[in-house]
Amino acid sequence: MRPRCCILALVCWITVFLLQCSKGTTDAPVGSGLWLCQPAPRCGNKIYNPSEQCCYDDAILSLKETRRCGSTCTFWPCFELCCPESFGPQQKFLVKLRVLGMKSQCHLSPISRSCTRNRRHVLYP
């Protein structure tokens, strides 16, 4: 009789554990699916869907959004960084790749491209 009691207690404990882990949050995005026992990604105090959005400067952005980098470039803040290379009257900027799984920093990230000002010289015949 004792082994049945232990088995029943174990089954009850596993059931309670699974039910606790499968509780959804009330402020989860619509259509986010079931996230079992995983903390939802947050941006500030808001939950976001990392397959469609990213957190950039405490704002939730679409993965498709772009921003200006200097006066001549655009970059995708979800995937790239806009890094000043020099200061002064002729500022230079570099677009660098974000390193996934880390808090990316300009001095550690690989260069994607340079944002140099393209001056067009017009020649008159």
Side-chain angles (χ1 to χ4, degrees), residues 3-72:
R4 281 187 182 175
C5 187
C6 291
I7 291 172
L8 182 60
L10 181 63
V11 169
C12 288
W13 182 82
I14 291 172
T15 303
V16 169
F17 177 75
L18 290 175
L19 288 173
Q20 288 294 327
C21 289
S22 66
K23 284 185 181 177
T25 58
T26 57
D27 55 351
V30 176
S32 63
L34 189 59
W35 296 349
L36 294 176
C37 298
Q38 295 179 8
R42 292 186 171 271
C43 185
N45 62 352
K46 295 182 180 176
I47 294 174
Y48 70 97
N49 183 349
S51 65
E52 298 174 1
Q53 302 163 319
C54 74
C55 183
Y56 178 73
D57 284 341
D58 289 329
I60 297 173
L61 302 179
S62 165
L63 294 178
K64 299 174 186 176
E65 284 190 51
T66 60
R67 295 279 194 266
R68 299 287 300 167
C69 182
S71 61
T72 60

